[in-house]
Amino acid sequence: AQRVTQPEKLLSVFKGAPVELKCNYSYSGSPELFWYVQYSRQRLQLLLRHISRESIKGFTADLNKGETSFHLKKPFAQEEDSAMYYCALYSGGGADGLTFGKGTHLIIQP
Amino acid sequence: NAGVTQTPKFQVLKTGQSMTLQCAQDMNHEYMSWYRQDPGMGLRLIHYSVGAGITDQGEVPNGYNVSRSTTEDFPLRLLSAAPSQTSVYFCASSYGQGAWNEQFFGPGTRLTVL
């Protein structure tokens, strides 16, 4: 069965510092990975997906199949980045839904 | 577009009561799903539907029923509520299946079972 691990429940960095939110996955097939974000009092929304290789709001994430990781990075954190971040894996079979990690609460201090 | 809507926002039930959580979307999405989120946990898939008349179980289906009579609506029924079903419930929809299809989430329903 697939699994997504986000080792940090809480990550606090200062504004302007680099940010890296870790995500590791366990899946025997070829995974499709996503980062979802939930800002305060807003609903969960897609931030980025690895297949489109996009940069959204300055965030990027690279799939590393050797290390089974999909870490989310931003070179210079901004206060508006404070939110809950969830890494998710789509396996494409069986339940055909997303498997989510437990989430990392990112706090950007001024 | 209202997107994905869920009602109610909050609900308190007694053990053994039944209720239905409503979910609707106005984006003509074929795929809809229900997740639950418990404290300190990620979202877990309860049931999903790939189109009207078709539903299937997710990771944690026990104690829940669903039906999909229309494209727009995907209600989740708790047959006999238990304290273990205290959670926040999210409904999501997407145009189709697969990694290219962004899932749109509702605002959630916070359910407490006493």
Side-chain angles (χ1 to χ4, degrees):
Chain A
Q2 57 265 29
R3 184 163 56 202
V4 176
T5 302
Q6 293 180 251
E8 302 137 331
K9 281 189 178 180
L10 174 67
L11 182 62
S12 179
V13 301
F14 287 101
K15 177 182 171 181
V19 172
E20 182 179 51
L21 288 83
K22 291 185 168 49
C23 172
N24 290 90
Y25 67 90
S26 172
Y27 179 59
S28 57
S30 183
E32 302 293 347
L33 287 147
F34 305 81
W35 278 97
Y36 278 79
V37 61
Q38 188 169 27
Y39 301 102
S40 179
R41 286 188 281 279
Q42 294 187 27
R43 57 185 71 189
L44 195 63
Q45 59 188 285
L46 178 67
L47 179 62
L48 57 80
R49 51 194 145 195
H50 96 268
I51 54 173
S52 54
R53 296 186 172 277
E54 56 206 342
S55 173
I56 302 294
K57 299 184 178 182
F59 284 98
T60 59
D62 291 318
L63 177 61
N64 185 323
K65 290 187 178 181
E67 295 182 358
T68 60
S69 68
F70 188 57
H71 303 328
L72 183 68
K73 300 177 183 179
K74 184 169 183 176
F76 307 104
Q78 298 172 302
E79 288 186 67
E80 55 264 34
D81 296 329
S82 295
M84 280 294 298
Y85 290 80
Y86 295 93
C87 183
L89 179 152
Y90 171 76
S91 61
D96 200 41
L98 291 170
T99 299
F100 283 86
K102 294 183 180 181
T104 297
H105 187 187
L106 177 64
I107 297 174
I108 307 301
Q109 299 189 45
Chain B
N1 284 357
V4 180
T5 58
Q6 291 183 237
T7 56
K9 289 186 178 178
F10 302 94
Q11 183 70 50
V12 179
L13 293 177
K14 294 181 179 178
T15 298
Q17 287 185 313
S18 63
M19 80 159 294
T20 299
L21 307 185
Q22 301 292 345
C23 174
Q25 52 89 13
D26 60 359
M27 298 174 281
N28 202 32
H29 284 170
E30 290 295 324
Y31 184 86
M32 295 185 74
S33 54
W34 277 101
Y35 293 86
R36 61 176 288 175
Q37 184 180 35
D38 302 307
M41 302 285 290
L43 282 72
R44 291 182 293 169
L45 183 66
I46 304 172
H47 284 284
Y48 68 99
S49 169
V50 299
I54 306 169
T55 65
D56 209 343
Q57 297 181 350
E59 180 187 355
V60 288
N62 291 344
Y64 307 95
N65 273 359
V66 292
S67 59
R68 185 94 179 270
S69 56
T70 67
T71 299
E72 294 78 18
D73 301 297
F74 190 43
L76 178 73
R77 278 181 285 278
L78 280 70
L79 307 173
S80 177
S84 60
Q85 294 179 303
T86 294
S87 190
V88 181
Y89 291 85
F90 291 97
C91 179
S93 74
S94 60
Y95 182 70
Q97 302 170 62
W100 281 103
N101 290 282
E102 176 181 353
Q103 292 211 27
F104 292 85
F105 284 84
T109 294
R110 188 175 293 274
L111 175 68
T112 301
V113 183
L114 304 175

